[in-house]
Amino acid sequence: MGLNCVRPVDPLCAVIPRNIELDATPVKESGLPIIFLIGGPGAGKSTQCIRVAQHYGFCAIISRQLLRSEVSTGSQRGVILAYLMSEGKLIPSDVMIELIKARMLSSLNDTRGFLLSGFPREKTQCQHFNRQIRPPDLVLYLYVRDSLLIDRVLAKTITATERQERSIDESWQRIKKHSRMIKPVLRYYKKQLVIIDGEREELEVFEDICGAIDNILMNFPNTSSKNN
């Protein structure tokens, strides 16, 4: 599932209701850390995001869940997003940022920081986020080879042979598309970037992520692990 409109832009993207009055100033002024956790389909982002967020008392913001939550409201925006996603089309960057911004604002008073999973997906999202909120303090990239990503994705797919063949092709296209789109993101955030070996055991990956986060939390004296 893509999360950004690209040319040619679907006409529906232009009519999605926006809340241009949503002000992220409280987030900018909060002094709370903002961390991105990115990686390809099957890299383990959501699993690690939830675990790490619980460990530190962070607000976990998972792009896919944000979109599904909006769709479940049955609002005009939700209906359009549901259609775009069902067609495999990309969601406009400003709409994605707005959903994230609303979630951050609603969680501001009861969190020690923000951990975003599956965002950003491409460079335009980076630019929108930096402009409307602020640059992240840390960008964690779960590196997993494409060949292993496809194995992980297909391991979750137990279907008839014909459907499985179609799933292999669709999944491979998603993975290759992600690989193309993520490279400019990694370059854009090279100063904040830490690459994590996502092919290791789940606990080892978690520990590596925590090590990287602990390093940047030294700059945030009011933020610490709940386990410390």
Side-chain angles (χ1 to χ4, degrees), residues 27 50 164 198 218:
V27 176
I50 293 168
Q164 193 167 27
M218 292 187 290

Side-chain angles (χ1 to χ4, degrees), residues 138-202:
L138 176 65
V139 176
L140 297 166
Y141 177 51
L142 289 182
Y143 173 75
V144 179
R145 285 167 294 166
D146 288 354
S147 58
L148 183 53
L149 288 176
I150 192 69
D151 288 345
R152 289 183 178 182
V153 170
L154 293 179
K156 301 177 183 178
T157 308
I158 304 174
T159 54
T161 304
E162 181 183 353
R163 175 59 196 163
Q164 193 167 27
E165 288 175 357
R166 194 155 65 245
S167 293
I168 292 172
D169 184 58
E170 291 170 358
S171 298
W172 187 247
Q173 292 304 317
R174 278 179 62 212
I175 289 167
K176 298 305 288 184
K177 181 179 179 181
H178 174 272
S179 295
R180 288 195 307 271
M181 294 174 71
I182 206 66
K183 288 176 184 176
V185 173
L186 302 181
R187 287 194 295 268
Y188 190 84
Y189 284 131
K190 62 183 178 181
K191 291 182 179 178
Q192 297 105 313
L193 181 65
V194 173
I195 299 175
I196 302 291
D197 182 355
E199 298 185 4
R200 303 176 74 194
E201 293 296 324
E202 188 176 310

Side-chain angles (χ1 to χ4, degrees), residues 95-138:
V95 174
M96 196 69 225
I97 297 294
E98 187 178 307
L99 293 173
I100 291 171
K101 196 189 301 183
R103 178 64 187 279
M104 294 177 90
L105 288 167
S106 69
S107 306
L108 201 53
N109 295 325
D110 57 6
T111 188
R112 289 177 168 150
F114 300 98
L115 181 61
L116 282 67
S117 169
F119 178 93
R121 294 284 296 273
E122 50 90 37
K123 187 177 176 179
T124 302
Q125 288 186 338
C126 305
Q127 296 166 331
H128 276 267
F129 190 94
N130 284 14
R131 197 161 50 238
Q132 295 189 41
I133 302 174
R134 71 168 178 79
D137 301 288
L138 176 65

Side-chain angles (χ1 to χ4, degrees), residues 29-86:
E29 297 178 347
S30 69
L32 294 174
I34 298 175
I35 301 168
F36 292 163
L37 179 61
I38 56 179
K45 300 182 297 296
S46 296
T47 299
Q48 293 292 346
C49 180
I50 293 168
R51 184 171 187 174
V52 171
Q54 289 175 343
H55 180 72
Y56 288 98
F58 289 166
C59 171
I61 302 177
I62 300 174
S63 299
R64 184 174 63 251
Q65 291 182 358
L66 274 186
L67 291 167
R68 287 175 177 169
S69 178
E70 183 64 24
V71 168
S72 71
T73 66
S75 66
Q76 180 185 354
R77 180 164 67 177
V79 170
I80 297 174
L81 292 180
Y83 169 77
L84 292 173
M85 290 186 287
S86 70

Side-chain angles (χ1 to χ4, degrees), residues 6-18:
V6 292
R7 295 182 180 87
V9 177
D10 190 289
L12 276 177
C13 290
V15 299
I16 298 174
R18 268 81 164 176

